[in-house]
Amino acid sequence: MVADQLKPRLMAATRREVMLAMGLAGLLNMAMLAVAAATFAGRGAEMADLSLAWQALTPLLGPAAAALFAVALLASGVSSSVVGTLSGQVVM
C-alpha cells in the first residue's frame, strides 16, 4: 500500500514517464514516415505492406538503412506496448 502523501508525487512521475514514452513513440513514427516519404516519393513505388517497404529500401539506401528501418519498427512497437501498459496501470 502506498502512503497518501506519496500518491501525488507518484502520479506526477507516472505522468512524466507516459508522456516521455508517448513522445518517443511519436518521434519514431514521424521519423519512419519522413524517411519513407523522402525515399519513395516520385519513384512510382507502391507499398502494400511493410515487407515491400523493407525490400524497396535495400537497393535504394543500402542494407544498413533496411536494418535501421527494422530496428525502428521494433522500437516503435515496444514503445507502443509499454505506453499501453503504463496507461492501463494508471487508469486501474
Side-chain angles (χ1 to χ4, degrees):
M1 203 69 180
V2 177
D4 287 338
Q5 64 267 24
L6 289 178
K7 285 183 182 180
R9 198 166 131 207
L10 291 174
M11 285 300 289
T14 301
R15 191 174 303 118
R16 280 192 304 270
E17 286 180 24
V18 170
M19 295 289 276
L20 178 67
M22 289 179 69
L24 179 63
L27 287 174
L28 282 172
N29 287 331
M30 287 187 285
M32 286 191 305
L33 284 174
V35 168
T39 302
F40 300 126
R43 299 190 191 270
E46 288 189 28
M47 299 298 128
D49 62 18
L50 289 174
S51 65
L52 293 176
W54 179 80
Q55 290 172 354
L57 274 176
T58 302
L60 293 174
L61 300 175
L68 286 174
F69 179 74
V71 169
L73 280 176
L74 179 64
S76 178
V78 168
S79 179
S80 175
S81 297
V82 168
V83 168
T85 302
L86 287 174
S87 299
Q89 288 176 350
V90 170
V91 170
M92 293 298 193

